[in-house]
Amino acid sequence: MKLLYALTCITAAFIISSCSDIDGQEGKDPVPEISEATFAKGADISWVTEMEADGVRFFNTKGEETDCFLLMKELGMNAIRLRVWVNPENAYGKYSDMEDVVIKARRAKDAGMDLMIDFHYSDFFADPSRQTKPAAWKNLSMQDLMKAISDHTTAVLDALWKEGISPRWIQIGNETRNGMLWKEGQLWTSSGDLKDGWANYVALSNAGYDAAKAVFPDAAVLVHQNNAWEDLAWWFTKFSEAGGRYDMIGLSHYPQSEPDKDWKTVNSLALNHITSLGRAFGRNVMIVETGVKTLQNETEAAKALAEFLTEAKKLDRCAGVFYWEPQTDGSWKPDHYEELSWKPYDMGAFRNGRPTSVLDTFKD
């Protein structure tokens, strides 16, 4: 196994250094056959170690104190998603770095749950509003950025491999609607499309894909977009035409977060797009983030999530749904949020350390 891994790494390194994929021919290879027989019902609980360090305790519906990973399984979930930052101590704190992720991944494995690793390629949250390069990568050239992505991806995944932990899914970038590692990997600005935007972004993304496949060739590798309710065929068309490599489509879906749309409409649009994207691009689709506004109206929030999850499980192309940080209840927030004057996350699904009825739908 280790010899095969080493040989595969050498091959991947050659591909990355050659940059020949920018012209897009590799993106037309047959789609890898990734087995997704089990529908993933999961949660991203990346905050859990930080919450525990702050003294937060978790209880099941009977009021019994329990481990958060075991609680997720008790609630009917079978998978955990964990984000990875490069050097978070430069922007956030010590959590969600490689060491912290390996600790949490071990707990997920011990709980008998599948694992998704979410690479942000940043020292802090990456999303459509920010794709900030890690401080240590600030002055790197495109070639060196590709190597940095490959090295970071390999280091994290190799640390998991050495612990006997095999992710089922690996996400390359987080909500990369406008690329990643700005400005080199940015797709457009307010002035319009950037000249080499797609070529650069795809080269960076493929560097992550190749590194992931070198360590875990059987894992499904995702690219991730926000707003599942939007028609994103244009984005995946451009990504594919530029030679982007991916095994699965990842989407975020927050049905109660669109001010001009009710949650039923947002759910319906998202379900339609899961099917249309899956058919058009020959990939399964994973909702890697979802959340509802439990604290505003628990009953309505539970209906919004239950309707979506019930219908998503019926779709041939939907591989699963992950709730983003359900273990929060609006009373806790990271220390770094104080520095930013940010409020606590408002779509957790707990109250006073206990799961609410919003999560009942995961038991079905």
Side-chain angles (χ1 to χ4, degrees):
M1 173 67 181
K2 199 64 175 176
L3 176 59
L4 176 61
Y5 162 61
L7 291 172
T8 311
C9 282
I10 293 170
T11 303
F14 173 78
I15 292 171
I16 290 168
S17 64
S18 71
C19 292
S20 63
D21 55 70
I22 295 178
D23 289 334
Q25 293 306 309
E26 285 78 2
K28 302 183 187 304
D29 289 344
V31 178
E33 294 184 4
I34 303 296
S35 174
E36 289 298 330
T38 303
F39 187 89
K41 298 184 293 181
D44 186 321
I45 56 172
S46 298
W47 269 327
V48 66
T49 44
E50 187 173 1
M51 295 176 73
E52 289 170 340
D54 283 347
V56 177
R57 301 157 64 196
F58 302 100
F59 303 85
N60 61 22
T61 54
K62 298 177 183 179
E64 301 166 335
E65 186 170 355
T66 186
D67 174 80
C68 190
F69 289 82
L70 295 177
L71 179 53
M72 295 299 128
K73 188 170 185 178
E74 184 179 333
L75 291 169
M77 298 182 188
N78 55 26
I80 293 294
R81 177 178 183 253
L82 300 172
R83 63 177 163 269
V84 188
W85 292 328
V86 178
N87 295 304
E89 65 274 13
N90 291 330
Y92 178 91
K94 64 181 180 179
Y95 298 98
S96 289
D97 61 3
M98 181 169 67
E99 181 181 0
D100 182 48
V101 167
V102 171
I103 290 170
K104 289 180 289 196
R106 165 57 60 188
R107 292 172 65 180
K109 179 179 173 63
D110 289 345
M113 305 179 83
D114 286 329
L115 178 66
M116 178 185 292
I117 295 295
D118 170 19
F119 285 98
H120 283 233
Y121 301 113
S122 181
D123 293 335
F124 188 49
F125 287 112
D127 56 42
S129 67
R130 65 178 73 80
Q131 293 285 338
T132 306
K133 283 183 291 189
W137 302 3
K138 183 178 179 181
N139 297 315
L140 297 183
S141 66
M142 261 297 296
Q143 287 291 328
D144 287 339
L145 283 173
M146 292 166 67
K147 185 177 186 304
I149 284 177
S150 180
D151 289 348
H152 171 64
T153 304
T154 300
V156 173
L157 296 181
D158 197 39
L160 294 172
W161 186 87
K162 289 174 180 175
E163 290 290 320
I165 302 168
S166 298
R168 187 173 175 186
W169 311 276
I170 300 168
Q171 186 179 308
I172 303 300
N174 194 79
E175 294 189 332
T176 55
R177 173 76 65 100
N178 192 6
M180 64 185 188
L181 294 173
W182 292 350
K183 62 180 178 178
E184 284 78 2
Q186 191 169 4
L187 299 177
W188 59 79
T189 67
S190 57
S191 301
D193 291 349
L194 296 171
K195 179 175 179 287
D196 296 317
W198 282 100
N200 286 350
Y201 165 60
V202 166
L204 294 169
S205 181
N206 283 353
Y209 179 94
D210 293 339
K213 285 295 193 180
V215 185
F216 292 110
D218 295 329
V221 179
L222 300 86
V223 289
H224 173 206
Q225 295 304 311
N226 60 310
N227 293 353
W229 62 269
E230 292 186 63
D231 184 356
L232 293 165
W234 66 272
W235 194 95
F236 287 97
T237 296
K238 285 182 176 290
F239 184 71
S240 298
E241 289 176 346
R245 291 192 281 275
Y246 64 114
D247 305 325
M248 187 181 293
I249 292 170
L251 300 175
S252 295
H253 175 61
Y254 293 96
Q256 293 182 303
S257 296
E258 302 304 323
D260 60 341
K261 294 178 176 63
D262 63 85
W263 62 259
K264 285 184 175 291
T265 298
V266 178
N267 275 350
S268 179
L269 288 168
L271 292 163
N272 288 337
H273 290 148
I274 289 170
T275 297
S276 62
L277 285 172
R279 289 175 178 170
F281 297 96
R283 269 80 167 176
N284 284 343
V285 179
M286 182 80 79
I287 299 299
V288 298
E289 293 182 21
T290 194
V292 289
K293 295 187 178 293
T294 306
L295 299 178
Q296 290 185 9
N297 186 325
E298 182 177 326
T299 301
E300 192 72 4
K303 288 180 181 178
L305 182 62
E307 180 192 273
F308 179 76
L309 187 55
T310 298
E311 295 303 314
K313 286 188 290 186
K314 298 176 184 177
L315 302 180
D316 292 339
R317 281 297 181 181
C318 190
V321 175
F322 285 74
Y323 199 110
W324 199 79
E325 303 284 8
Q327 79 282 6
T328 59
D329 61 9
S331 65
W332 177 88
K333 63 180 179 180
D335 289 342
H336 189 58
Y337 277 28
E338 294 287 353
E339 300 172 28
L340 298 172
S341 298
W342 285 8
K343 295 180 180 179
Y345 174 57
D346 68 348
M347 284 187 279
F350 273 43
R351 289 184 189 272
N352 301 316
R354 293 164 172 79
T356 65
S357 62
V358 165
L359 298 178
D360 288 349
T361 189
F362 282 93
K363 297 176 182 177
D364 298 332

